[in-house]
Amino acid sequence: MNVLIFGPNGSGKGTQGAIVQKKYNVTHVESGVIFRDNIKKGTELGKKAKAYIDKGDLVPDDITIPMILNRLKENDCKNGWLLDGFPRNGEQAKALNKALSDAGIKLDFVIEILLDREIAKQRIMGRRICEKDGNHPNHVFIDAIKPAEKDGKQVCRVCGGALSARADDQDENAIKKRHDIYYDEKNGTLASVIFFKELSKKNNGVPVIIELDGTADIKTVSDELMKKLQ
Ligand code: AMP
C-alpha cells in the first residue's frame, strides 16, 4: 500500500501517520526527518539544505525531488510506503506522479486532514510537552487533555510532571510561515493536494482520496481513517 498524507502543522498528521505506519507496516518516509538526519551527519545534502530549513523556507526542488525519489527506490519501500512532508508544491507533485508512473508503481491513497488555519494555530500554540513522558498529551485549549494545576502552575494531567512548550510552537512568525506554505493553493502544499484530486477524478478514483475532519479527537479521526483505508 502506497500512501500520501497531507495536513497543516497542528492537524495531527504526524500522529495519524504513525498509526497508519504501525497498522499497515509500511515504511514512513518523512522529508523533514531525512533533512534533519543529513544535517546531523554533516552530509553534503545536509549542508546545502540547512540554510533553507533554518529560515523555515522550502529546500529547492532540485535537491528535494531527487532525494525523495531515490529514497522510495530503497528496499524497505518495496512493500509500501507512507510519504509525509512531500510533495509540498505542484512541481513536486508532478515529479512524483511521473516517477511513479514511469516505475509502474501505484499510488493507492491520498489522505488529507482538513483543519481551519486559525484552529491549527491554536493547536500548535497550546501543545505542552510532559518532561517525564512524551506520550502524555497536554493541551491548554483542549478540555479533554487540559494540564492539571499544582501550586498555581500547570503540570502534566497524567503524571503531575513538569510541562514545557517547544520554542517553535510559540513563535507566531514561524507558524505563519509554515501555514503560508501549506494553505497556498497555487504554489504551496494545497496545490499538490489539488493535483492529486484532479488526477483521481481523471483516473476513475485512483488514487482514492480520503478527506478527514481534523477538528475531531485523535481516536475519532483514526477510526474514520481506518474505515476508509480498507
Ligand atoms: P517538516 O519536518 O516536514 O516541517 O520539514 C522541516 C523542513 O524541511 C521544512 O521547513 C523545509 O525547510 C524542509 N522540507 C521538508 N519537506 C520539504 C519538501 N517537500 N520540499 C522542500 N522543503 C522541505
Side-chain angles (χ1 to χ4, degrees):
M1 185 167 83
N2 300 319
V3 185
L4 295 183
I5 187 163
F6 293 101
N9 202 263
S11 66
K13 172 172 66 83
T15 308
Q16 298 302 330
I19 294 171
V20 173
Q21 188 272 331
K22 225 169 152 188
K23 166 134 195 205
Y24 292 93
N25 200 23
V26 288
T27 297
H28 199 175
V29 177
E30 292 172 273
S31 50
V33 171
I34 302 178
F35 281 129
R36 282 189 286 277
D37 279 353
N38 275 278
I39 292 173
K40 224 192 278 164
K41 289 183 194 143
T43 66
E44 270 316 299
L45 183 117
K47 280 181 204 153
K48 282 190 204 155
K50 188 172 185 314
Y52 298 97
I53 292 178
D54 284 348
K55 281 190 283 179
D57 291 331
L58 287 187
V59 178
D61 285 351
D62 61 345
I63 301 175
T64 309
I65 293 173
M67 175 185 88
I68 294 296
L69 298 183
N70 287 332
R71 177 68 187 88
L72 293 179
K73 285 183 196 149
E74 285 177 32
N75 260 339
D76 60 346
C77 288
K78 295 260 174 338
N79 289 326
W81 39 260
L82 172 76
L83 186 49
D84 182 342
F86 184 96
R88 257 178 160 99
N89 60 37
E91 286 311 308
Q92 294 183 1
K94 274 186 229 157
L96 176 65
N97 183 47
K98 179 169 186 317
L100 294 179
S101 11
D102 288 353
I105 296 170
K106 184 177 166 218
L107 175 63
D108 300 290
F109 294 100
V110 173
I111 302 166
E112 180 189 15
I113 304 181
L114 298 155
L115 194 63
D116 171 80
R117 183 169 176 156
E118 198 45 44
I119 301 176
K121 180 178 159 193
Q122 294 271 308
R123 285 266 189 92
I124 297 170
M125 298 195 77
R127 297 199 276 228
R128 294 293 178 271
I129 298 154
C130 171
E131 291 182 354
K132 280 193 190 152
D133 188 331
N135 289 319
H136 288 170
N138 285 266
H139 199 291
V140 294
F141 302 127
I142 301 176
D143 282 343
I145 53 171
K146 228 185 181 92
E149 260 195 41
K150 197 177 160 199
D151 304 330
K153 263 176 94 180
Q154 289 183 334
V155 293
C156 175
R157 48 176 261 284
V158 183
C159 68
L163 293 178
S164 65
R166 258 169 52 182
D168 58 343
D169 281 357
Q170 302 305 305
D171 180 343
E172 292 205 36
N173 279 331
I175 296 170
K176 181 178 180 311
K177 214 164 182 177
R178 280 183 266 167
H179 282 166
D180 280 348
I181 294 173
Y182 186 83
Y183 289 98
D184 181 345
E185 295 189 0
K186 271 187 99 178
N187 303 305
T189 310
L190 283 186
S192 40
V193 179
I194 292 167
F195 174 89
F196 284 104
K197 285 184 176 171
E198 282 171 2
L199 183 75
S200 173
K201 268 191 212 146
K202 278 189 270 183
N203 212 9
N204 288 325
V206 179
V208 173
I209 308 290
I210 299 178
E211 289 183 352
L212 299 166
D213 171 10
T215 58
D217 62 79
I218 295 173
K219 179 149 190 322
T220 308
V221 178
S222 66
D223 285 351
E224 185 69 15
L225 177 55
M226 292 309 143
K227 253 194 281 167
K228 292 184 169 168
L229 273 179
Q230 303 301 325

